[in-house]
Amino acid sequence: MDNCIFCKIIKGELPSEKFYEDDLMIVIADVNPRAKKHYLAIPKRHYKLFSEMTDEDADILGKCVRKIAELAPSLGLENGYRVIVNQGDDAEQTVPHLHLHLIGGQKLTLGSYVTDEK
Ligand code: DGP
């Protein structure tokens, strides 16, 4: 997708702090971290919403989630982490390319989206 920031990062046209890459996804640091550890796991295929997913996208996302679980200890998320997927306007999704926020490295209060403490 030509104007998509995450597609450009995936293609190497924009810089990122990359922690993992395979043929299906990348894991990068969020540029605006909301906790001590805040990553974005980004499937390489461009789509915005769960409602747009094909069967193949669903298979890929399942594989990505399993890979995230495998990577978690090496990302400093061994004590647990929160996964957030913003979908659409009410969730304030700002980048229209599906991505999973992986947030942790500290205690996260239950009632809040994430804590502001770092
Ligand atoms: P969302 O609101 O769910 O669409 O979150 C988008 C996230 O992407 C937000 O936390 C900030 C992050 N972000 C936006 N642009 C860039 C970028 O160019 N590089 C990186 N690493 N993160 C970005």
Side-chain angles (χ1 to χ4, degrees), residues 5-6 9 14-16 28-32 34 38 40 86 91-95 99 101 113:
I5 293 171
F6 289 170
I9 288 174
L14 285 176
S16 67
I28 63 173
D30 193 294
V31 80
N32 177 25
R34 270 76 139 216
H38 187 168
L40 301 171
N86 291 322
E92 298 196 316
Q93 182 179 6
T94 57
V95 180
H99 53 282
H101 294 260
Y113 178 127

Side-chain angles (χ1 to χ4, degrees), residues 36-105:
K36 281 189 180 148
K37 303 283 180 185
H38 187 168
Y39 305 94
L40 301 171
I42 311 174
K44 289 187 170 178
R45 283 171 66 125
H46 179 95
Y47 59 96
K48 176 181 177 184
L49 299 168
F50 289 147
S51 59
E52 299 168 353
M53 290 171 85
T54 63
D55 286 349
E56 193 183 354
D57 291 328
D59 286 346
I60 288 171
L61 191 62
K63 288 182 179 141
C64 291
V65 168
R66 285 172 59 162
K67 180 55 76 175
I68 287 165
E70 199 181 307
L71 295 172
S74 67
L75 296 172
L77 301 173
E78 62 278 0
N79 288 327
Y81 53 99
R82 186 165 292 163
V83 179
I84 294 171
V85 185
N86 291 322
Q87 292 284 276
D89 291 344
D90 279 0
E92 298 196 316
Q93 182 179 6
T94 57
V95 180
H97 182 131
L98 191 103
H99 53 282
L100 290 72
H101 294 260
L102 312 177
I103 295 164

